Amino acid sequence: MQKVEILQIGPYPEWDEEPLNALFEVHRYFGAEERQSFVDRRCGTVRGIATRGEYVVDRTLIESLPNLEIIAVYGVGFDGVDIDAARERGVRVTNTPDVLSRDVADLGVAMMLALARGVVEADDWVRTGNWKEKGPFPFKSTVSGKTAGVLGLGRIGKELAKRLEAFDMKILYSARSPKNVSPEWKFVENAFELARRSDVLFVVIPAHPENRHLVDGAVISALGPQGTLINISRAANVDEDALLDALEAGALGSAGLDVFEGEPDVNPRFRTMSNVLLHPHGGSATVETRMAMGQLMRENLIAHFEGRPLPTPVA
């Protein structure tokens, strides 16, 4: 039986490439020198797209493929896909939620602890001989008993709050509406008030247009010079210029960032700051989670082409 043809927008790990190739006839869009002509030659036969959340699948590409039926996203975020264009064409869209929530939450906690206890600087203190030459490493801060604000209480936000609770932290959260969660987790109506009442603010909201720069200069200022901001969602949710200004001026204590505007081309201002922890957009970057993401992406494609219900549809 002839394999279904799909367009692969970006690379996957080898353990995902091999089964994808076994199941489908894969056309590698990311490897083409002239992408439009590459698409034009295959436009009549491609029925699916395999992509990642950060890659763009725009209206132009969707409309270039008249027989396109499904766009399968490898990741929980699908902000790179033009959902309106897909819906207009009757193209289904899927993502891979749940399987990465725990790892992303783990990274958020790791960033908080690393910043509070100066883990990166302390490692350097030992390696450079400062411990011997200058004495003990400067005192840092405790996290136990502090207040954590979780901006966005979806799957990742809930996993994060559960972990923070284990550190005896007070949990505040903000979302579209109060959630059916532990009565110890207190709902706060907006990001500004959440920041004002928090020691550590975690940004875990999805990347929707209405969330762009939701964490703006006012929210960052409300968090204050002793506060910590941790973004494990999407860069657009935080006003990066306002964040940089606040960090440089001492108006914000510290920040842990897994995402950046224009990544991987990161604003060089970040590189000179000792109060920022930088991470290369790898919240879900463990072998176990990436394998599960690839499996779920393929299950969505298989289910669609076999005429079965999609495991994790978003449109």
Side-chain angles (χ1 to χ4, degrees):
M1 182 181 296
Q2 187 174 0
K3 293 180 180 178
V4 172
E5 296 184 35
I6 65 170
L7 194 67
Q8 183 182 345
I9 303 302
Y12 298 127
E14 184 178 348
W15 59 70
D16 288 317
E17 294 278 2
E18 290 183 3
L20 193 67
N21 290 331
L23 290 165
F24 303 102
E25 183 177 345
V26 179
H27 303 295
R28 286 170 175 74
Y29 178 81
F30 63 94
E33 291 185 6
E34 181 53 55
R35 291 182 175 178
Q36 189 55 55
S37 61
F38 181 84
V39 170
D40 290 344
R41 291 196 301 272
R42 295 160 178 81
C43 63
T45 54
V46 166
R47 297 172 60 194
I49 287 178
T51 185
R52 296 204 325 236
E54 68 269 31
Y55 293 140
V56 173
V57 180
D58 59 14
R59 178 178 293 272
T60 298
L61 180 57
I62 291 170
E63 293 181 348
S64 296
L65 302 169
N67 294 311
L68 183 64
E69 301 171 23
I70 183 171
I71 301 168
V73 178
Y74 177 100
V76 66
F78 48 90
D79 43 297
V81 177
D82 189 326
I83 295 294
D84 291 338
R87 286 183 173 136
E88 290 170 16
R89 294 286 306 280
V91 175
R92 304 302 307 274
V93 180
T94 65
N95 67 344
T96 59
D98 293 327
V99 294
L100 52 72
S101 300
R102 292 179 179 87
D103 272 343
V104 177
D106 287 349
L107 179 64
V109 175
M111 284 186 151
M112 175 187 69
L113 293 173
L115 286 164
R117 298 303 298 271
V119 172
V120 175
E121 300 95 325
D123 177 88
D124 185 67
W125 194 262
V126 176
R127 291 178 186 274
T128 60
N130 282 341
W131 189 13
K132 178 180 178 181
E133 296 173 5
K134 298 182 180 180
F137 184 66
F139 294 151
K140 293 297 180 179
S141 299
T142 186
V143 298
S144 299
K146 297 285 180 67
T147 299
V150 181
L151 182 56
L153 204 71
R155 296 178 178 92
I156 296 171
K158 288 176 183 176
E159 290 293 336
L160 177 64
K162 288 193 298 184
R163 285 154 173 75
L164 299 173
E165 200 171 34
F167 287 92
D168 296 323
M169 299 186 80
K170 180 180 179 180
I171 308 299
L172 307 178
Y173 73 93
S174 185
R176 293 180 184 274
S177 60
K179 305 296 182 182
N180 184 20
V181 292
S182 167
E184 299 300 317
W185 301 1
K186 303 301 182 183
F187 175 72
V188 179
E189 289 190 358
N190 59 71
F192 178 86
E193 186 64 17
L194 183 68
R196 189 186 70 80
R197 295 169 58 183
S198 298
D199 297 301
V200 186
L201 179 65
F202 293 87
V203 184
V204 207
I205 49 176
H208 293 318
E210 61 267 28
N211 288 339
R212 178 171 175 78
H213 291 183
L214 182 62
V215 180
D216 57 12
V219 172
I220 294 166
S221 178
L223 192 54
Q226 303 302 316
T228 296
L229 173 71
I230 295 176
N231 189 3
I232 49 175
S233 59
R234 283 289 195 263
N237 295 331
V238 176
D239 184 335
E240 193 168 278
D241 288 334
L243 175 62
L244 283 160
D245 291 344
L247 288 165
E248 289 176 340
L252 178 67
S254 60
L257 306 172
D258 185 43
V259 288
F260 306 87
E261 294 282 5
E263 60 187 44
D265 186 13
V266 175
N267 192 313
R269 292 167 67 188
F270 282 121
R271 300 190 186 116
T272 64
M273 297 179 181
S274 61
N275 57 343
V276 182
L277 181 62
L278 310 177
H279 196 266
H281 200 157
S284 65
T286 66
V287 171
E288 296 87 350
T289 287
R290 290 298 171 90
M291 283 185 167
M293 287 166 59
Q295 179 65 32
L296 183 52
M297 179 198 67
R298 294 190 298 275
E299 287 173 0
N300 276 294
L301 288 168
I302 294 167
H304 172 77
F305 291 119
E306 290 183 350
R308 295 184 285 106
L310 300 175
T312 52
V314 296

